[in-house]
Amino acid sequence: MSTDLPTSMERHPDIIEMRAKSELAALAPRSQVIEAFAVGAGLFLAISPWVVGFNSSFQRLAVCNLVLGLAYTLLMAGFGPVYERTHARAWAAALVGVFTIIAPWAVNGGAHVRATILTNVITGGVMTCLALATVAAATIRVTMRSRASAR
């Protein structure tokens, strides 16, 4: 019976290989473009009540957009450094995008202004598409890796 302690998980060959693949995926130009647009969309949503001018008339929607925009930005900004968890983060970001679309009706109730609806629907649609592009990019890479390792 050996008295040697097992090596730490950080030095496990599978962990090292997974981190190397994650770094390569984060360096891909497609990943960087998606992340840049996603951060921009999230930050725009956060400041949109003040840019479009509905911060005083729809204060609850303004706070909602600020929180959703910052949450989306944090979820999608983690795309590069934490590629292993990209799949779950991207699905959560897609849900934030979908809620952004329905927020003018869910938060304001019956009060609508064209500027609030257009801002949230367009920005939410872009956010949802970027999140789904992140899911697709992660899925494509996993499929390509599994096919290459099967050969």
Tab-separated table of all heavy atoms in Angstrom, residues 93-149:
chain	number	residue	atom	x	y	z
A	93	ALA	N	-27.915	34.495	-19.946
A	93	ALA	CA	-27.915	35.775	-20.662
A	93	ALA	C	-29.042	35.824	-21.695
A	93	ALA	O	-29.652	36.878	-21.903
A	93	ALA	CB	-26.560	36.000	-21.334
A	94	ALA	N	-29.340	34.695	-22.336
A	94	ALA	CA	-30.454	34.655	-23.288
A	94	ALA	C	-31.781	34.924	-22.577
A	94	ALA	O	-32.646	35.625	-23.107
A	94	ALA	CB	-30.498	33.308	-24.005
A	95	LEU	N	-31.935	34.395	-21.368
A	95	LEU	CA	-33.139	34.671	-20.594
A	95	LEU	C	-33.231	36.153	-20.208
A	95	LEU	O	-34.318	36.732	-20.222
A	95	LEU	CB	-33.181	33.798	-19.339
A	95	LEU	CG	-33.428	32.314	-19.583
A	95	LEU	CD1	-33.355	31.541	-18.278
A	95	LEU	CD2	-34.760	32.097	-20.252
A	96	VAL	N	-32.100	36.762	-19.885
A	96	VAL	CA	-32.088	38.203	-19.602
A	96	VAL	C	-32.526	38.969	-20.847
A	96	VAL	O	-33.303	39.932	-20.767
A	96	VAL	CB	-30.694	38.661	-19.118
A	96	VAL	CG1	-30.592	40.175	-19.057
A	96	VAL	CG2	-30.375	38.070	-17.755
A	97	GLY	N	-32.056	38.557	-22.021
A	97	GLY	CA	-32.446	39.202	-23.270
A	97	GLY	C	-33.932	39.075	-23.543
A	97	GLY	O	-34.597	40.034	-23.957
A	98	VAL	N	-34.490	37.897	-23.296
A	98	VAL	CA	-35.926	37.689	-23.511
A	98	VAL	C	-36.735	38.541	-22.529
A	98	VAL	O	-37.726	39.164	-22.908
A	98	VAL	CB	-36.288	36.190	-23.380
A	98	VAL	CG1	-37.791	35.980	-23.328
A	98	VAL	CG2	-35.677	35.403	-24.531
A	99	PHE	N	-36.301	38.602	-21.272
A	99	PHE	CA	-37.028	39.433	-20.311
A	99	PHE	C	-36.921	40.913	-20.670
A	99	PHE	O	-37.869	41.669	-20.445
A	99	PHE	CB	-36.544	39.206	-18.879
A	99	PHE	CG	-37.376	39.962	-17.885
A	99	PHE	CD1	-38.639	39.518	-17.547
A	99	PHE	CD2	-36.917	41.138	-17.332
A	99	PHE	CE1	-39.426	40.233	-16.660
A	99	PHE	CE2	-37.693	41.866	-16.448
A	99	PHE	CZ	-38.957	41.406	-16.105
A	100	THR	N	-35.798	41.315	-21.247
A	100	THR	CA	-35.652	42.703	-21.685
A	100	THR	C	-36.711	43.053	-22.725
A	100	THR	O	-37.237	44.160	-22.734
A	100	THR	CB	-34.235	42.931	-22.256
A	100	THR	OG1	-33.278	42.659	-21.225
A	100	THR	CG2	-34.048	44.344	-22.741
A	101	ILE	N	-37.018	42.098	-23.582
A	101	ILE	CA	-38.042	42.332	-24.612
A	101	ILE	C	-39.413	42.561	-23.985
A	101	ILE	O	-40.154	43.457	-24.396
A	101	ILE	CB	-38.079	41.159	-25.616
A	101	ILE	CG1	-36.770	41.093	-26.404
A	101	ILE	CG2	-39.273	41.276	-26.552
A	101	ILE	CD1	-36.604	39.849	-27.239
A	102	ILE	N	-39.761	41.781	-22.979
A	102	ILE	CA	-41.094	41.894	-22.393
A	102	ILE	C	-41.161	42.879	-21.222
A	102	ILE	O	-42.245	43.128	-20.701
A	102	ILE	CB	-41.631	40.515	-21.962
A	102	ILE	CG1	-40.765	39.908	-20.868
A	102	ILE	CG2	-41.766	39.590	-23.143
A	102	ILE	CD1	-41.376	38.681	-20.213
A	103	ALA	N	-40.039	43.425	-20.811
A	103	ALA	CA	-40.001	44.312	-19.641
A	103	ALA	C	-40.905	45.541	-19.743
A	103	ALA	O	-41.514	45.914	-18.733
A	103	ALA	CB	-38.561	44.736	-19.357
A	104	PRO	N	-41.032	46.213	-20.886
A	104	PRO	CA	-41.930	47.378	-20.901
A	104	PRO	C	-43.364	47.036	-20.498
A	104	PRO	O	-44.029	47.831	-19.841
A	104	PRO	CB	-41.877	47.858	-22.355
A	104	PRO	CG	-40.579	47.380	-22.867
A	104	PRO	CD	-40.330	46.072	-22.164
A	105	TRP	N	-43.837	45.863	-20.865
A	105	TRP	CA	-45.187	45.461	-20.500
A	105	TRP	C	-45.228	44.876	-19.086
A	105	TRP	O	-46.176	45.107	-18.350
A	105	TRP	CB	-45.732	44.452	-21.502
A	105	TRP	CG	-45.880	45.045	-22.859
A	105	TRP	CD1	-46.926	45.815	-23.297
A	105	TRP	CD2	-44.957	44.956	-23.942
A	105	TRP	NE1	-46.696	46.202	-24.598
A	105	TRP	CE2	-45.495	45.686	-25.023
A	105	TRP	CE3	-43.727	44.338	-24.120
A	105	TRP	CZ2	-44.855	45.806	-26.243
A	105	TRP	CZ3	-43.082	44.457	-25.331
A	105	TRP	CH2	-43.644	45.182	-26.385
A	106	ALA	N	-44.206	44.110	-18.716
A	106	ALA	CA	-44.194	43.465	-17.400
A	106	ALA	C	-43.963	44.472	-16.269
A	106	ALA	O	-44.548	44.345	-15.202
A	106	ALA	CB	-43.110	42.388	-17.363
A	107	VAL	N	-43.133	45.470	-16.508
A	107	VAL	CA	-42.781	46.425	-15.462
A	107	VAL	C	-43.720	47.624	-15.451
A	107	VAL	O	-44.156	48.080	-14.399
A	107	VAL	CB	-41.303	46.883	-15.617
A	107	VAL	CG1	-40.955	47.962	-14.619
A	107	VAL	CG2	-40.376	45.696	-15.457
A	108	ASN	N	-44.056	48.149	-16.619
A	108	ASN	CA	-44.892	49.344	-16.710
A	108	ASN	C	-46.376	49.053	-16.662
A	108	ASN	O	-47.174	49.961	-16.481
A	108	ASN	CB	-44.597	50.119	-18.001
A	108	ASN	CG	-43.291	50.847	-17.926
A	108	ASN	OD1	-42.777	51.091	-16.848
A	108	ASN	ND2	-42.745	51.190	-19.069
A	109	GLY	N	-46.764	47.842	-16.879
A	109	GLY	CA	-48.187	47.534	-16.921
A	109	GLY	C	-48.815	48.052	-18.197
A	109	GLY	O	-48.433	47.674	-19.292
A	110	GLY	N	-49.778	48.954	-18.079
A	110	GLY	CA	-50.491	49.457	-19.245
A	110	GLY	C	-49.858	50.670	-19.895
A	110	GLY	O	-50.243	51.054	-20.992
A	111	ALA	N	-48.884	51.299	-19.222
A	111	ALA	CA	-48.280	52.521	-19.773
A	111	ALA	C	-47.202	52.153	-20.789
A	111	ALA	O	-46.297	51.393	-20.484
A	111	ALA	CB	-47.675	53.348	-18.658
A	112	HIS	N	-47.344	52.692	-21.998
A	112	HIS	CA	-46.368	52.406	-23.048
A	112	HIS	C	-45.975	53.707	-23.742
A	112	HIS	O	-46.780	54.604	-23.924
A	112	HIS	CB	-46.933	51.473	-24.124
A	112	HIS	CG	-47.491	50.203	-23.594
A	112	HIS	ND1	-46.793	49.372	-22.764
A	112	HIS	CD2	-48.697	49.617	-23.767
A	112	HIS	CE1	-47.544	48.328	-22.460
A	112	HIS	NE2	-48.708	48.458	-23.054
A	113	VAL	N	-44.744	53.774	-24.120
A	113	VAL	CA	-44.229	54.847	-24.965
A	113	VAL	C	-43.400	54.154	-26.034
A	113	VAL	O	-42.677	53.198	-25.750
A	113	VAL	CB	-43.379	55.845	-24.154
A	113	VAL	CG1	-42.701	56.848	-25.050
A	113	VAL	CG2	-44.228	56.554	-23.119
A	114	ARG	N	-43.510	54.618	-27.244
A	114	ARG	CA	-42.817	53.965	-28.356
A	114	ARG	C	-41.316	53.846	-28.107
A	114	ARG	O	-40.701	52.832	-28.431
A	114	ARG	CB	-43.080	54.712	-29.650
A	114	ARG	CG	-42.524	53.965	-30.842
A	114	ARG	CD	-42.722	54.614	-32.167
A	114	ARG	NE	-43.723	55.662	-32.168
A	114	ARG	CZ	-44.113	56.305	-33.238
A	114	ARG	NH1	-43.611	55.995	-34.393
A	114	ARG	NH2	-45.015	57.255	-33.180
A	115	ALA	N	-40.704	54.870	-27.507
A	115	ALA	CA	-39.254	54.841	-27.264
A	115	ALA	C	-38.867	53.709	-26.318
A	115	ALA	O	-37.858	53.024	-26.541
A	115	ALA	CB	-38.792	56.179	-26.694
A	116	THR	N	-39.655	53.487	-25.274
A	116	THR	CA	-39.320	52.406	-24.339
A	116	THR	C	-39.473	51.051	-25.001
A	116	THR	O	-38.629	50.169	-24.819
A	116	THR	CB	-40.221	52.457	-23.089
A	116	THR	OG1	-41.582	52.256	-23.468
A	116	THR	CG2	-40.073	53.754	-22.346
A	117	ILE	N	-40.532	50.895	-25.781
A	117	ILE	CA	-40.779	49.605	-26.434
A	117	ILE	C	-39.703	49.318	-27.479
A	117	ILE	O	-39.123	48.233	-27.507
A	117	ILE	CB	-42.188	49.572	-27.051
A	117	ILE	CG1	-43.227	49.603	-25.939
A	117	ILE	CG2	-42.372	48.344	-27.931
A	117	ILE	CD1	-44.644	49.775	-26.416
A	118	LEU	N	-39.421	50.277	-28.336
A	118	LEU	CA	-38.401	50.063	-29.371
A	118	LEU	C	-37.023	49.790	-28.765
A	118	LEU	O	-36.311	48.883	-29.215
A	118	LEU	CB	-38.329	51.272	-30.308
A	118	LEU	CG	-39.467	51.406	-31.306
A	118	LEU	CD1	-39.326	52.697	-32.110
A	118	LEU	CD2	-39.509	50.209	-32.236
A	119	THR	N	-36.663	50.567	-27.761
A	119	THR	CA	-35.352	50.376	-27.130
A	119	THR	C	-35.233	48.977	-26.548
A	119	THR	O	-34.247	48.272	-26.794
A	119	THR	CB	-35.122	51.425	-26.031
A	119	THR	OG1	-35.179	52.718	-26.617
A	119	THR	CG2	-33.778	51.221	-25.356
A	120	ASN	N	-36.222	48.560	-25.788
A	120	ASN	CA	-36.127	47.261	-25.134
A	120	ASN	C	-36.265	46.091	-26.102
A	120	ASN	O	-35.561	45.092	-25.968
A	120	ASN	CB	-37.179	47.160	-24.025
A	120	ASN	CG	-36.699	47.800	-22.751
A	120	ASN	OD1	-36.151	48.896	-22.765
A	120	ASN	ND2	-36.893	47.124	-21.647
A	121	VAL	N	-37.142	46.212	-27.083
A	121	VAL	CA	-37.335	45.098	-28.019
A	121	VAL	C	-36.096	44.912	-28.900
A	121	VAL	O	-35.606	43.791	-29.069
A	121	VAL	CB	-38.611	45.301	-28.870
A	121	VAL	CG1	-38.677	44.322	-30.022
A	121	VAL	CG2	-39.842	45.166	-27.993
A	122	ILE	N	-35.555	46.004	-29.430
A	122	ILE	CA	-34.387	45.882	-30.301
A	122	ILE	C	-33.162	45.431	-29.499
A	122	ILE	O	-32.451	44.492	-29.897
A	122	ILE	CB	-34.117	47.202	-31.048
A	122	ILE	CG1	-35.238	47.458	-32.053
A	122	ILE	CG2	-32.758	47.179	-31.737
A	122	ILE	CD1	-35.206	48.840	-32.690
A	123	THR	N	-32.923	46.079	-28.364
A	123	THR	CA	-31.759	45.716	-27.553
A	123	THR	C	-31.895	44.293	-27.012
A	123	THR	O	-30.927	43.519	-27.026
A	123	THR	CB	-31.575	46.712	-26.396
A	123	THR	OG1	-31.531	48.031	-26.926
A	123	THR	CG2	-30.294	46.435	-25.636
A	124	GLY	N	-33.083	43.925	-26.544
A	124	GLY	CA	-33.302	42.564	-26.050
A	124	GLY	C	-33.131	41.518	-27.134
A	124	GLY	O	-32.592	40.439	-26.895
A	125	GLY	N	-33.586	41.837	-28.352
A	125	GLY	CA	-33.394	40.910	-29.468
A	125	GLY	C	-31.928	40.708	-29.807
A	125	GLY	O	-31.479	39.578	-30.030
A	126	VAL	N	-31.181	41.805	-29.830
A	126	VAL	CA	-29.739	41.713	-30.096
A	126	VAL	C	-29.051	40.915	-28.990
A	126	VAL	O	-28.202	40.051	-29.255
A	126	VAL	CB	-29.122	43.125	-30.242
A	126	VAL	CG1	-27.607	43.077	-30.222
A	126	VAL	CG2	-29.620	43.789	-31.514
A	127	MET	N	-29.420	41.191	-27.741
A	127	MET	CA	-28.819	40.478	-26.612
A	127	MET	C	-29.115	38.980	-26.674
A	127	MET	O	-28.221	38.156	-26.434
A	127	MET	CB	-29.319	41.079	-25.297
A	127	MET	CG	-28.791	42.467	-25.018
A	127	MET	SD	-29.639	43.373	-23.704
A	127	MET	CE	-29.638	42.240	-22.361
A	128	THR	N	-30.340	38.631	-27.012
A	128	THR	CA	-30.715	37.214	-27.115
A	128	THR	C	-29.941	36.536	-28.241
A	128	THR	O	-29.426	35.423	-28.068
A	128	THR	CB	-32.232	37.077	-27.341
A	128	THR	OG1	-32.921	37.736	-26.276
A	128	THR	CG2	-32.655	35.622	-27.400
A	129	CYS	N	-29.840	37.199	-29.381
A	129	CYS	CA	-29.094	36.623	-30.513
A	129	CYS	C	-27.621	36.431	-30.170
A	129	CYS	O	-27.023	35.407	-30.522
A	129	CYS	CB	-29.236	37.505	-31.747
A	129	CYS	SG	-30.876	37.438	-32.479
A	130	LEU	N	-27.007	37.386	-29.491
A	130	LEU	CA	-25.601	37.256	-29.104
A	130	LEU	C	-25.404	36.117	-28.103
A	130	LEU	O	-24.429	35.368	-28.185
A	130	LEU	CB	-25.082	38.568	-28.530
A	130	LEU	CG	-24.896	39.694	-29.542
A	130	LEU	CD1	-24.639	41.015	-28.829
A	130	LEU	CD2	-23.758	39.373	-30.500
A	131	ALA	N	-26.322	35.981	-27.163
A	131	ALA	CA	-26.220	34.886	-26.199
A	131	ALA	C	-26.367	33.534	-26.891
A	131	ALA	O	-25.631	32.586	-26.593
A	131	ALA	CB	-27.270	35.053	-25.103
A	132	LEU	N	-27.304	33.446	-27.827
A	132	LEU	CA	-27.478	32.185	-28.567
A	132	LEU	C	-26.285	31.906	-29.484
A	132	LEU	O	-25.931	30.747	-29.705
A	132	LEU	CB	-28.790	32.208	-29.352
A	132	LEU	CG	-30.057	32.220	-28.489
A	132	LEU	CD1	-31.301	32.335	-29.361
A	132	LEU	CD2	-30.123	30.997	-27.596
A	133	ALA	N	-25.653	32.965	-30.000
A	133	ALA	CA	-24.426	32.774	-30.791
A	133	ALA	C	-23.310	32.224	-29.914
A	133	ALA	O	-22.501	31.403	-30.359
A	133	ALA	CB	-24.004	34.097	-31.426
A	134	THR	N	-23.283	32.645	-28.667
A	134	THR	CA	-22.291	32.115	-27.724
A	134	THR	C	-22.549	30.636	-27.458
A	134	THR	O	-21.620	29.832	-27.435
A	134	THR	CB	-22.341	32.903	-26.400
A	134	THR	OG1	-22.101	34.274	-26.686
A	134	THR	CG2	-21.316	32.398	-25.426
A	135	VAL	N	-23.812	30.278	-27.271
A	135	VAL	CA	-24.169	28.865	-27.078
A	135	VAL	C	-23.763	28.055	-28.299
A	135	VAL	O	-23.181	26.976	-28.186
A	135	VAL	CB	-25.680	28.711	-26.806
A	135	VAL	CG1	-26.097	27.252	-26.844
A	135	VAL	CG2	-26.049	29.322	-25.474
A	136	ALA	N	-24.052	28.588	-29.482
A	136	ALA	CA	-23.712	27.876	-30.716
A	136	ALA	C	-22.207	27.723	-30.869
A	136	ALA	O	-21.725	26.650	-31.255
A	136	ALA	CB	-24.293	28.609	-31.918
A	137	ALA	N	-21.452	28.762	-30.555
A	137	ALA	CA	-19.996	28.685	-30.672
A	137	ALA	C	-19.436	27.640	-29.714
A	137	ALA	O	-18.545	26.866	-30.083
A	137	ALA	CB	-19.374	30.052	-30.395
A	138	ALA	N	-19.955	27.585	-28.513
A	138	ALA	CA	-19.488	26.586	-27.548
A	138	ALA	C	-19.867	25.181	-27.996
A	138	ALA	O	-19.074	24.252	-27.899
A	138	ALA	CB	-20.062	26.876	-26.170
A	139	THR	N	-21.070	25.019	-28.528
A	139	THR	CA	-21.535	23.707	-28.967
A	139	THR	C	-20.756	23.224	-30.183
A	139	THR	O	-20.387	22.051	-30.256
A	139	THR	CB	-23.034	23.762	-29.301
A	139	THR	OG1	-23.732	24.269	-28.167
A	139	THR	CG2	-23.571	22.400	-29.652
A	140	ILE	N	-20.484	24.106	-31.113
A	140	ILE	CA	-19.727	23.734	-32.309
A	140	ILE	C	-18.329	23.269	-31.931
A	140	ILE	O	-17.847	22.263	-32.429
A	140	ILE	CB	-19.664	24.907	-33.311
A	140	ILE	CG1	-21.037	25.120	-33.947
A	140	ILE	CG2	-18.606	24.671	-34.373
A	140	ILE	CD1	-21.148	26.397	-34.750
A	141	ARG	N	-17.693	23.975	-31.010
A	141	ARG	CA	-16.337	23.583	-30.608
A	141	ARG	C	-16.323	22.233	-29.915
A	141	ARG	O	-15.437	21.433	-30.119
A	141	ARG	CB	-15.731	24.662	-29.711
A	141	ARG	CG	-15.278	25.836	-30.497
A	141	ARG	CD	-14.399	26.738	-29.660
A	141	ARG	NE	-14.019	27.865	-30.454
A	141	ARG	CZ	-14.739	28.967	-30.614
A	141	ARG	NH1	-15.883	29.075	-30.012
A	141	ARG	NH2	-14.320	29.943	-31.375
A	142	VAL	N	-17.304	21.974	-29.048
A	142	VAL	CA	-17.378	20.686	-28.358
A	142	VAL	C	-17.597	19.569	-29.361
A	142	VAL	O	-16.963	18.524	-29.292
A	142	VAL	CB	-18.497	20.709	-27.287
A	142	VAL	CG1	-18.764	19.319	-26.757
A	142	VAL	CG2	-18.127	21.656	-26.173
A	143	THR	N	-18.480	19.770	-30.345
A	143	THR	CA	-18.748	18.761	-31.365
A	143	THR	C	-17.511	18.499	-32.211
A	143	THR	O	-17.181	17.349	-32.493
A	143	THR	CB	-19.914	19.214	-32.264
A	143	THR	OG1	-21.039	19.512	-31.442
A	143	THR	CG2	-20.274	18.154	-33.264
A	144	MET	N	-16.809	19.566	-32.608
A	144	MET	CA	-15.618	19.405	-33.419
A	144	MET	C	-14.531	18.679	-32.645
A	144	MET	O	-13.839	17.821	-33.187
A	144	MET	CB	-15.118	20.757	-33.906
A	144	MET	CG	-16.054	21.398	-34.940
A	144	MET	SD	-15.585	23.073	-35.375
A	144	MET	CE	-14.022	22.794	-36.191
A	145	ARG	N	-14.388	18.976	-31.339
A	145	ARG	CA	-13.372	18.302	-30.515
A	145	ARG	C	-13.687	16.824	-30.359
A	145	ARG	O	-12.789	15.987	-30.443
A	145	ARG	CB	-13.306	18.947	-29.137
A	145	ARG	CG	-12.447	20.152	-29.106
A	145	ARG	CD	-12.270	20.614	-27.673
A	145	ARG	NE	-12.652	22.001	-27.658
A	145	ARG	CZ	-13.411	22.587	-26.774
A	145	ARG	NH1	-13.908	21.906	-25.779
A	145	ARG	NH2	-13.694	23.852	-26.852
A	146	SER	N	-14.965	16.492	-30.163
A	146	SER	CA	-15.323	15.091	-29.963
A	146	SER	C	-15.129	14.283	-31.255
A	146	SER	O	-14.704	13.144	-31.228
A	146	SER	CB	-16.750	14.958	-29.452
A	146	SER	OG	-17.668	15.452	-30.391
A	147	ARG	N	-15.409	14.895	-32.398
A	147	ARG	CA	-15.178	14.203	-33.689
A	147	ARG	C	-13.702	14.009	-33.941
A	147	ARG	O	-13.290	12.972	-34.450
A	147	ARG	CB	-15.815	14.985	-34.823
A	147	ARG	CG	-17.309	14.899	-34.864
A	147	ARG	CD	-17.866	15.628	-36.028
A	147	ARG	NE	-19.330	15.624	-35.990
A	147	ARG	CZ	-20.083	16.369	-36.733
A	147	ARG	NH1	-19.544	17.224	-37.599
A	147	ARG	NH2	-21.382	16.307	-36.625
A	148	ALA	N	-12.887	15.009	-33.594
A	148	ALA	CA	-11.451	14.892	-33.824
A	148	ALA	C	-10.832	13.841	-32.906
A	148	ALA	O	-9.932	13.108	-33.303
A	148	ALA	CB	-10.780	16.243	-33.587
A	149	SER	N	-11.312	13.760	-31.659
A	149	SER	CA	-10.755	12.778	-30.744
A	149	SER	C	-11.218	11.362	-31.073
A	149	SER	O	-10.563	10.387	-30.698
A	149	SER	CB	-11.101	13.122	-29.308
A	149	SER	OG	-12.503	13.063	-29.126
